[in-house]
Amino acid sequence: QVQLVESGGGLVQPGGSLRLSCLASGSSFSIDAMGWYRQAPGKQRELVAFTRGGNTAYADSVKGRFTISRDNAKNTVYLQLNSLKPEDTAVYYCYARIIAIATRSEYDYWGQGTQVTVSS
């Protein structure tokens, strides 16, 4: 069993910055990919940023403002949010594609979500 635990959300003024962290914990697993999604009230969950094998991808709405990074030794993925706008307000969810070492089966895991509110 694997758990994803996020931290770092909060209230920030427009133009401000936040850093989200997501730690994957458990045993006998490896991580294929990690990413961040977000869901604003009344909207569908959308991809924000994704990293796999050293490659990254971003939603057009966050390119140039958000940066995803990963520390493989710590099984942790980060999302640096800069130049935040009110429309970035949402619950941000960590995602991981986990591979069970014993069976090589792949599973998708989600964190519990962390609230990011951008408001003056």
Side-chain angles (χ1 to χ4, degrees), residues 6-119:
E6 301 125 329
S7 60
L11 172 64
V12 63
Q13 291 186 342
S17 297
L18 284 173
R19 189 190 193 209
L20 307 183
S21 301
C22 174
L23 168 66
S25 62
S27 61
S28 302
F29 71 95
S30 63
I31 301 173
D32 178 44
M34 298 189 83
W36 291 91
Y37 288 69
R38 68 185 180 187
Q39 187 166 19
K43 295 187 177 181
Q44 290 188 332
R45 188 173 298 190
E46 62 175 359
L47 174 67
V48 176
F50 194 82
T51 179
R52 180 174 185 263
N55 297 313
T56 59
Y58 297 91
D60 287 343
S61 60
V62 307
K63 282 181 181 177
R65 300 188 298 121
F66 292 7
T67 302
I68 189 170
S69 61
R70 181 175 158 183
D71 186 332
N72 293 326
K74 296 182 179 180
N75 288 336
T76 300
V77 66
Y78 305 95
L79 186 67
Q80 179 67 40
L81 297 75
N82 295 331
S83 302
L84 282 161
K85 305 175 181 180
E87 52 263 43
D88 294 317
T89 295
V91 178
Y92 284 69
Y93 295 92
C94 176
Y95 160 84
R97 171 63 63 88
I98 300 295
I99 300 173
I101 292 176
T103 63
R104 305 303 297 172
S105 298
E106 298 182 354
Y107 303 91
D108 293 331
Y109 282 87
W110 294 90
Q112 79 285 358
T114 185
Q115 177 70 46
V116 171
T117 302
V118 185
S119 175

